[in-house]
Amino acid sequence: MLSERMRKAMNEQVNAELYSSYLYVSMSMYFESIDMRGAANWMMEQAKEELIHARKLMDYVNERGGRVWLDAIEKPPQEWESILDVFQAALAHEEKVSSLINGLVTLAREENDHMTDNFLQWFVAEQVEEEASAAEVVRKIKLVGDSGGGMFMIDKELEQRGSVSASQSEGEE
Ligand code: FEO
């Protein structure tokens, strides 16, 4: 059974993951509005991954006999200054999520909750990827600078990001 403190913290993380999904949908809509279809696809795929993260957390809370309570999801930003600005915001957001996950691990350890600590290690590893993939796009955008052709190529590349696999959507690795 999860402690009340741990259950509450995990519920807050569910909200953070759902907000992440909402934020990336908003970023996707921004890219649609400026005809960056590849970037819009990349963000929509990211939004889907965030739903998987939320699902994994909810399944775990249920498995441990806790109750998931859904809270209101904050309104995400809708406008950005530039394409670079969006990806920098995505990277900063992932860094924030990483610190939230670290906080959960710290709490699990304080409570000697080894099961939750072990469960959270999947998220610790996932955050390395989450930060790396946003950072990679930021680097590429900086590299091409103001080149329209370069940005066109990046958008084509971002279009290639495929859907998460069925096994992932079931909450497996
Ligand atoms: Fe669920 Fe992008 O962290």
Side-chain angles (χ1 to χ4, degrees), residues 50-173:
E50 300 303 345
L51 291 181
I52 293 171
H53 297 170
R55 175 69 191 271
K56 263 174 126 55
L57 287 158
M58 290 189 283
D59 285 348
Y60 180 76
V61 171
N62 285 325
E63 262 173 13
R64 296 289 311 280
R67 175 75 160 90
V68 174
W69 291 105
L70 297 177
D71 213 336
I73 301 170
E74 194 187 323
K75 181 178 174 180
Q78 324 260 354
E79 288 289 350
W80 288 267
E81 297 288 313
S82 64
I83 297 160
L84 177 61
D85 188 30
V86 185
F87 277 96
Q88 280 177 327
L91 175 57
H93 180 71
E94 288 304 330
E95 288 167 348
K96 188 177 150 207
V97 172
S98 297
S99 74
L100 294 175
I101 297 292
N102 287 343
L104 286 173
V105 173
T106 302
L107 178 60
R109 290 181 182 179
E110 273 171 18
E111 300 214 333
N112 269 330
D113 184 347
H114 298 288
M115 284 184 271
T116 302
D117 183 359
N118 183 55
F119 166 77
L120 289 169
Q121 292 311 308
W122 183 90
F123 284 85
V124 172
E126 177 73 359
Q127 281 312 119
V128 175
E129 262 184 55
E130 295 278 89
E131 286 189 27
S133 57
E136 186 188 339
V137 183
V138 167
R139 273 197 307 277
K140 284 181 179 168
I141 295 172
K142 282 183 175 169
L143 207 64
V144 302
D146 292 332
S147 155
M151 201 60 83
F152 179 79
M153 293 305 289
I154 290 177
D155 197 49
K156 281 278 159 233
E157 197 183 315
L158 297 177
E159 203 164 18
Q160 303 308 312
R161 182 174 181 176
S163 267
V164 284
S165 70
S167 64
Q168 276 178 298
S169 64
E170 283 161 13
E172 294 168 15
E173 262 179 86

